[in-house]
Amino acid sequence: MKMHNFNAGPSILPREVIEDTAKAVLDFEGKGLSILEISHRAKYFQPVVDEAEALFKELLNIPDGYKVLFLGGGASLEFCMVPYNFLNKKAAYLNTGVWAKKAQKEAKAFGEVVEVASSADKVYNYLPKGYTIPADADYFHITTNNTIYGTELHEDPTSPVPMIADMSSDIFSRPIDVSKYICIYGGAQKNLAPAGVTFVIVKEDALGKVERAIPTMLDYRTHVEGGSMFNTPPVLPIYTALLNLRWIKKQGGVKEMQRRAEERANLLYNKLDNSKIFRPTVADKADRSYMNICFVLKDEYLDRKEELEKEFMAFATERGMVGIKGHRSVGGFRASCYNALPLESVQALVDCITEFEKKF
Ligand SMILES: *Cc1c(COP(=O)(O)O)cnc(C)c1O
């Protein structure tokens, strides 16, 4: 049976990227050695990091003065590295979900944190608007795509202070204006690579401005100077990231990724907006994520919620749908539609919903 991979993360990667990774595990570029058994300082691994950084810069149109880092620790470690490196006195945070809130919590250990707005009052099913960002903040932190709740900022906001963004789950799904940010980071396992590598795009002249001492490994300058090689980087996930970046370029770049993301999202939201039994959790179309599409049973079915959710889950699983269970904090269903997901998989889910509706 054909499997349709809607996993939220780790998640789908292009088949050819997985196949080429498998080849490199057996024999890295004809060297007669596995990529797993070569030194990260070997002369043939350095070009992998160099090309991955060059493709980041090319695909995201990153201006001069920025460095791309490949680190360990996940986005969760960046929640702490960001304030360590950039928060002198005050930082502004937009609370749009659990990840945003976790980032904010870490910052509190380093200075004053202003929560400019929050959508926690409605289980984060919308994006706050009309808030004021304090002009004396060191930075304004946002989470561009809220993986758990299915909201997404489709454009870079305007801010009186430099921005920092967690782009774990929508990096490379649209063009971004990197010049508005001093730092963009994310765990790679949603839309870029297997778990194990964290990407950080950092503006070099924004570093070194805080007064505190920073432990070596948590200081971005260490990794800028070391070219992501201060210590052993996650070699294999970096290689897979490179293969995926080459794939994105070959497909037509981030504009094409954005076109495909919109096409997939329109297909599924259109079905959900007209469904007899389901509704999208995010009502405002402007706030809807193209990456993580969350839906629940309509109110009239809530008395049979548990039974019907189980029934749909089994029905969809029988038809090859994988990973559509909603996050435990939201319930219902979530279809993650990352770059590598073919439109046919979304069509298969739409057909599956249509078929299930016939029972009603
Ligand atoms: C998954 C996710 C994280 C956590 O990433 P880790 O790499 O597991 O630390 C943080 N932020 C967002 C938006 C995510 O989707």
Side-chain angles (χ1 to χ4, degrees):
M1 179 171 57
K2 166 115 183 80
M3 303 298 252
H4 300 287
N5 187 352
F6 295 97
N7 276 323
S11 36
I12 188 167
L13 288 166
R15 191 66 208 172
E16 63 185 81
V17 166
I18 293 173
E19 281 167 3
D20 288 346
T21 299
K23 277 183 205 153
V25 168
L26 296 173
D27 181 1
F28 178 55
E29 296 180 346
K31 305 286 193 311
L33 291 168
S34 167
I35 190 166
L36 303 179
E37 55 183 4
I38 59 166
S39 164
H40 59 292
R41 303 202 188 275
K43 63 178 182 301
Y44 28 84
F45 187 69
Q46 186 63 47
V48 170
V49 175
D50 293 345
E51 189 186 341
E53 174 165 18
L55 279 172
F56 251 82
K57 289 185 170 171
E58 181 186 337
L59 290 166
L60 295 176
N61 203 12
I62 300 177
D64 289 344
Y66 286 80
K67 185 88 187 143
V68 182
L69 310 175
F70 301 102
L71 310 175
S76 300
L77 184 60
E78 300 314 308
F79 295 164
C80 132
M81 281 177 77
V82 160
Y84 231 133
N85 284 266
F86 296 112
L87 203 173
N88 238 336
K89 292 210 164 62
K90 186 196 276 190
Y93 277 72
L94 185 62
N95 180 9
T96 53
V98 160
W99 297 121
K101 179 106 189 164
K102 284 185 174 169
Q104 189 172 318
K105 174 175 175 264
E106 293 302 303
K108 286 181 182 161
F110 298 91
E112 185 190 345
V113 172
V114 179
E115 182 180 274
V116 299
S118 164
S119 48
D121 58 334
K122 290 185 178 162
V123 205
Y124 297 115
N125 68 6
Y126 69 102
L127 291 172
K129 285 157 199 96
Y131 47 80
T132 307
I133 304 157
D136 60 346
D138 296 318
Y139 60 84
F140 173 45
H141 182 281
I142 57 173
T143 310
T144 48
N145 183 67
N146 298 285
T147 323
I148 294 173
Y149 310 92
T151 59
E152 184 177 9
L153 284 159
H154 294 284
E155 274 166 39
D156 306 296
T158 307
S159 160
V161 298
M163 290 195 291
I164 295 183
D166 174 358
M167 295 198 185
S168 292
S169 51
D170 63 345
I171 190 79
F172 293 108
S173 73
R174 66 169 173 95
I176 39 182
D177 181 355
V178 176
S179 70
K180 287 184 164 183
Y181 301 86
I182 50 173
C183 181
I184 295 170
Y185 65 87
Q189 68 275 16
K190 311 285 164 60
N191 209 15
L192 180 63
V197 63
T198 311
F199 65 85
V200 181
I201 303 167
V202 63
K203 192 171 189 205
E204 286 180 77
D205 69 8
L207 293 171
K209 301 210 167 141
V210 289
E211 282 145 27
R212 70 181 64 85
I214 307 174
T216 309
M217 272 298 282
L218 301 182
D219 190 334
Y220 286 128
R221 286 172 300 184
T222 302
H223 304 288
V224 168
E225 282 157 26
S228 301
M229 295 280 196
F230 173 75
N231 69 323
T232 318
V235 170
L236 187 66
I238 293 175
Y239 184 67
T240 308
L242 168 62
L243 295 175
N244 196 25
L245 292 166
R246 286 183 188 155
W247 179 85
I248 293 169
K249 184 177 172 179
K250 203 168 70 184
Q251 303 301 306
V254 288
K255 274 232 165 84
E256 174 62 13
M257 293 299 116
Q258 185 179 38
R259 190 197 65 75
R260 292 183 192 181
E262 259 187 86
E263 191 178 30
R264 284 189 298 261
N266 285 340
L267 179 61
L268 186 50
Y269 282 121
N270 190 42
K271 173 73 217 174
L272 295 168
D273 280 330
N274 296 294
S275 171
K276 268 197 268 185
I277 47 172
F278 295 117
R279 64 169 175 85
T281 55
V282 180
D284 190 339
K285 290 187 180 168
D287 293 353
R288 287 178 177 172
S289 172
Y290 296 162
M291 299 284 103
N292 311 96
I293 299 172
C294 300
F295 55 101
V296 288
L297 286 165
K298 284 182 147 176
D299 290 350
E300 57 258 48
Y301 296 101
L302 286 187
D303 53 336
R304 295 165 60 199
K305 181 172 177 287
E306 218 167 293
E307 164 206 341
L308 285 179
E309 282 190 351
K310 253 200 197 138
E311 201 179 320
F312 179 68
M313 200 63 201
F315 188 86
T317 304
E318 264 171 37
R319 284 157 183 78
M321 307 303 143
V322 176
I324 60 164
K325 197 170 166 52
H327 190 271
R328 59 191 182 279
S329 62
V330 183
F333 302 94
R334 168 175 57 174
S336 296
C337 303
Y338 296 120
N339 281 346
L341 188 79
L343 189 63
E344 298 80 68
S345 286
V346 180
Q347 186 62 54
L349 178 57
V350 166
D351 293 345
C352 175
I353 295 172
T354 304
E355 234 185 292
F356 189 71
E357 283 170 337
K358 286 182 187 153
K359 298 178 172 215
F360 293 83

